[in-house]
Amino acid sequence: MVLEASNDFERPGCLVLSEGAYSKNAYFPLWEKQFSDYLPKRGIHFLSVDIFNSVREKVINRKSGLGELDKEMYDPFRICDNELANNIELMTGAVLVARGGLSCLIAQYYLESRSLAGLVLVDPVLTPDTVRDDNANYQTQRLNSSASRYFKTTRFQYENEGQDVVSPDGIVTNDDAALTKNCSSSQRMKETENHLLQWLQLKGSKGQRLLRLEKGSVPTLVLCSVGHDEEAFYQECAKYTASLHNDENSPWGKVDIRQINVLESPNMVAKQILEWYDENIL
């Protein structure tokens, strides 16, 4: 759904929000409603995209006996990547605001082969594997390790909603039929994201996708939530992710890392993003 800017529109381009259902305490509530009211009134177009839609349909079909998710070529992350492209690839001046581990990971894969005017990563807690780090050491275990840690933090939310999950060792503990019958929209969002995390865990090295992204390709901002019991993990991941994009010789300089408190209103976060936009995109 595209939400048009007000009559006093001043800024070119569009802020595009892709957010997930999970991110510890930092993800409640979702930002779409507040952003859709705040941003157009301040002269910029706003679009919210659901990059998990196609994967969610496949997960639902599987529970009806119609899916084929176990085939060797199945890759839910590429499906989400294509979903994002279908929404914004032809858009001029799109600045992507990705919120949550999965959304941030997919946004970085998207940027490998497609263009953006700017990128905002909010809590990028799934740190992608890369060919080499700055010390010429192979980095091919970060994604699996961070996915395992992130899986544990989201598992409690999922179970508190009355949904059991598949653990990293592959043990299935939920009733699929009952889950499908009574699943709310919010629960289906969480179930879909849980499916993506399970896929990373169960695929292991076979599901590995190296991030081959040129540093400093676009202006990038990393936002890290604080004020919750996982903030040390979030900060560590934010610093590493920023290092993947940081090129001090690029036109926009060093990647900025800013903190946002979990109690901070979405409007205040939108204000921070808009200030960064004015400084780096305009």
Side-chain angles (χ1 to χ4, degrees), residues 62-63 164 166 172-182 191:
R62 180 187 61 171
K63 294 182 180 301
D164 288 327
V166 178
V172 181
T173 59
N174 63 306
D175 182 343
D176 281 350
L179 182 61
T180 304
K181 182 177 180 181
N182 300 311
E191 180 189 2

Side-chain angles (χ1 to χ4, degrees), residues 72-116:
E72 188 68 25
M73 297 302 292
Y74 172 69
D75 184 345
F77 285 87
R78 293 193 185 278
I79 294 173
C80 292
D81 187 333
N82 290 334
E83 186 83 38
L84 180 59
N86 290 338
N87 280 275
I88 70 171
E89 187 173 17
L90 300 180
M91 184 183 296
T92 301
V95 175
L96 180 59
V97 180
R99 185 184 185 211
L102 291 165
S103 293
C104 288
L105 182 61
I106 293 163
Q108 293 173 91
Y109 288 150
Y110 176 89
L111 191 57
E112 283 181 329
S113 57
R114 300 180 176 94
S115 63
L116 290 168

Side-chain angles (χ1 to χ4, degrees), residues 8-198:
D8 60 348
F9 179 74
E10 298 175 357
R11 297 175 177 88
C14 180
L15 287 183
V16 181
L17 176 65
S18 166
E19 57 184 336
Y22 282 137
S23 183
K24 201 64 176 170
N25 299 333
Y27 270 56
F28 299 101
L30 296 177
W31 288 351
E32 178 184 357
K33 186 177 185 300
Q34 288 85 352
F35 275 32
S36 66
D37 180 64
Y38 182 90
L39 292 170
K41 289 180 179 178
R42 282 148 185 86
I44 190 165
H45 289 283
F46 172 74
L47 170 68
S48 177
V49 297
D50 178 7
I51 64 173
F52 305 108
N53 181 60
S54 295
V55 172
R56 183 161 54 249
E57 291 301 317
K58 289 181 180 294
V59 171
I60 293 171
N61 286 341
R62 180 187 61 171
K63 294 182 180 301
S64 303
L66 303 176
E68 297 181 322
L69 303 192
D70 297 324
K71 286 189 173 181
E72 188 68 25
M73 297 302 292
Y74 172 69
D75 184 345
F77 285 87
R78 293 193 185 278
I79 294 173
C80 292
D81 187 333
N82 290 334
E83 186 83 38
L84 180 59
N86 290 338
N87 280 275
I88 70 171
E89 187 173 17
L90 300 180
M91 184 183 296
T92 301
V95 175
L96 180 59
V97 180
R99 185 184 185 211
L102 291 165
S103 293
C104 288
L105 182 61
I106 293 163
Q108 293 173 91
Y109 288 150
Y110 176 89
L111 191 57
E112 283 181 329
S113 57
R114 300 180 176 94
S115 63
L116 290 168
L119 179 64
V120 180
L121 300 171
V122 187
D123 287 336
V125 294
L126 292 178
T127 50
D129 296 334
T130 56
V131 179
R132 293 177 184 271
D133 65 10
D134 291 337
N135 296 318
N137 297 314
Y138 283 97
Q139 294 291 309
T140 57
Q141 296 299 319
R142 281 187 174 272
L143 182 55
N144 188 271
S145 176
S146 60
S148 178
R149 176 72 177 270
Y150 190 49
F151 188 96
K152 292 177 182 178
T153 68
T154 59
R155 180 184 176 91
F156 296 110
Q157 283 189 43
Y158 199 74
E159 291 179 336
N160 287 340
E161 291 284 338
Q163 315 292 343
D164 288 327
V165 297
V166 178
S167 63
D169 58 11
I171 300 174
V172 181
T173 59
N174 63 306
D175 182 343
D176 281 350
L179 182 61
T180 304
K181 182 177 180 181
N182 300 311
C183 213
S184 68
S185 176
S186 174
Q187 288 169 339
R188 283 180 176 173
M189 285 178 64
K190 292 176 181 179
E191 180 189 2
T192 301
E193 294 192 41
N194 210 65
H195 166 73
L196 287 160
L197 288 171
Q198 291 168 18

